[in-house]
Amino acid sequence: MVVEPRHIRVAAAVVWREGRLLFTRRPPGGPLGLLWEFPGGKLEPGETPERALTRELREELGVTARPLEVLAVERHDYDHGLSVEISFVRCELDSLAFVPGVEVHEVRWAAPAEVDPSDVLEGDRAFLARLAAGGAGAHG
């Protein structure tokens, strides 16, 4: 029996501060537990990536995001059967006084080249590598 992959659309916030990117760490448990990722989450039906990020960053970090531009849209198929379409959107935040929600285990700022790809969600790795190489909206 062939199991069709589950497809979801997610939005990921690309937030820069002094040459460093904002990353959040997933809580323990499941196949993706304790991996770092760009903050964000699943799009609800009819929601744009920009609206999803505004909602998700309020829920996950207690801050208001201002989406500015879509930097890339990528697809990734996970071995555990999930297929994701990720919209990476450059954002500015109204505050850096984070109040992490239950879906955020930890928050950190790191320069793209300092991040070990094996510590990051597979779906974020190619985009992160381009940022580390100075492309795809890299700045700080």
Side-chain angles (χ1 to χ4, degrees):
M1 180 167 115
V2 176
V3 176
E4 286 294 314
R6 211 166 48 97
H7 296 280
I8 63 168
R9 294 178 62 217
V10 300
V14 180
V15 181
W16 289 96
R17 186 188 82 183
E18 298 170 1
R20 296 181 177 279
L21 286 167
L22 177 64
F23 292 94
T24 54
R25 194 173 194 189
R26 298 172 71 95
L32 306 177
L34 293 178
L35 289 174
W36 292 93
E37 64 185 342
F38 290 94
K42 290 182 212 151
L43 275 65
E44 293 179 351
E47 196 172 43
T48 65
E50 293 84 356
R51 282 190 74 99
L53 284 175
T54 301
R55 176 182 51 76
E56 287 282 349
L57 270 70
R58 187 170 44 249
E59 292 171 4
E60 290 185 1
L61 296 172
V63 296
T64 301
R66 188 162 61 95
L68 301 173
E69 63 180 317
V70 175
L71 300 174
V73 177
E74 302 195 358
R75 287 200 54 149
H76 182 77
D77 296 325
Y78 283 93
D79 291 339
H80 61 270
L82 185 65
S83 175
V84 294
E85 179 186 281
I86 309 162
S87 295
F88 293 94
V89 181
R90 188 167 66 87
C91 294
E92 290 179 352
L93 304 179
D94 70 336
S95 168
L96 300 180
F98 301 130
V99 182
V102 296
E103 294 184 19
V104 175
H105 187 67
E106 201 175 338
V107 177
R108 76 170 177 175
W109 295 91
E114 296 171 355
V115 179
D116 181 342
S118 67
D119 291 339
V120 178
L121 285 180
E122 286 179 34
D124 290 352
R125 290 177 189 170
F127 181 76
L128 178 60
R130 285 201 309 282
L131 290 179
H139 69 80

